[in-house]
Amino acid sequence: FVVYWATGQQLVHHANPYDADAMMRIERGAGLPAGYGVLFMRNPPWALPLALPLGWMGVRAGALLWSLVLLGCLWGSVRMVWQMHGRPGRLLNFLALSFAPALVCLIVGQTSLFALLGLVLFLRLNGRRPFAAGMALWLCALKPHLFLAFGVVLVAWVVVSRGYRVLLGAASTLMASSAAAWWIDPTAWADYAH
């Protein structure tokens, strides 16, 4: 979490979120142990609007808000999968909510739970609202390395089924968030590449 919070701090002060010295000072000041080197938000710059609000709050308030949002992502994802599968026994909900990798993501503040929500929203919306399903893929794009194989299959499926509204939804959301990232920090893409 402290990486996302430090990124937000840098963005709010119109500073480079990829500046090693500044990030190290902020992260150490927030309590990151000295055994860790400098940490950066490795998500693509289109994720910067997600970290920006954390810059307007202290580390404890930010951690609480971040944890609640991640918990909401996990709970919402489990709830939607439960509904999509005909609402089987509630014990399955508890098993899904206590899935160890999901709990680890929750405890350490990983954005993988956003990606999980994006994938579940895509599956839920795809049949009825393909544009909105494509927009949900933005959450998956926060962790693009996790979805490379999925992306290749998705593009092939879109071409074969002519479901171009899914790609239009995904592309428009990525362009909007990239534009927002550029507005927040015009050098973000160059700094990220460096």
Side-chain angles (χ1 to χ4, degrees):
F1 161 75
V2 75
V3 176
Y4 300 109
W5 179 79
T7 299
Q9 296 296 309
Q10 285 290 89
L11 292 173
V12 164
H13 295 99
H14 306 289
N16 178 1
Y18 305 104
D19 178 349
D21 294 332
M23 290 294 285
M24 179 73 81
R25 277 193 308 277
I26 294 169
E27 291 167 359
R28 292 288 181 262
L32 187 69
Y36 290 94
V38 64
L39 301 173
F40 298 102
M41 188 170 131
R42 295 184 188 269
N43 308 76
W46 56 62
L48 291 177
L50 194 63
L52 179 66
L54 297 172
W56 288 305
M57 55 188 73
V59 69
R60 288 182 189 258
L64 177 63
L65 175 65
W66 191 257
S67 296
L68 289 173
V69 169
L70 291 179
L71 183 61
C73 289
L74 177 60
W75 183 85
S77 299
V78 169
R79 181 85 176 164
M80 282 187 277
V81 169
W82 178 70
Q83 290 171 343
M84 289 187 305
H85 285 75
R87 300 174 188 240
R90 292 196 183 266
L91 179 61
L92 290 176
N93 276 348
F94 294 117
L95 288 174
L97 289 170
S98 63
F99 184 57
L103 293 178
V104 169
C105 288
L106 184 62
I107 290 167
V108 298
Q110 279 291 314
T111 56
S112 300
L113 293 174
F114 287 109
L116 173 66
L117 179 63
L119 185 58
V120 171
L121 282 169
F122 171 77
L123 293 172
R124 182 173 184 154
L125 297 171
N126 182 46
R128 296 173 289 128
R129 300 175 59 203
F131 186 83
M135 290 176 67
L137 290 175
W138 178 79
L139 292 166
C140 296
L142 296 174
K143 294 276 202 179
H145 58 288
L146 298 180
F147 293 93
L148 289 176
F150 173 79
V152 170
V153 172
L154 175 69
V155 169
W157 172 77
V158 165
V159 169
V160 169
S161 70
R162 298 178 191 237
Y164 297 109
R165 291 191 302 180
V166 170
L167 284 184
L168 185 60
S172 63
T173 308
L174 277 176
M175 286 190 307
S177 63
S178 294
W182 179 83
W183 181 74
I184 293 167
D185 182 2
T187 64
W189 286 98
D191 295 337
Y192 177 72
H194 177 62

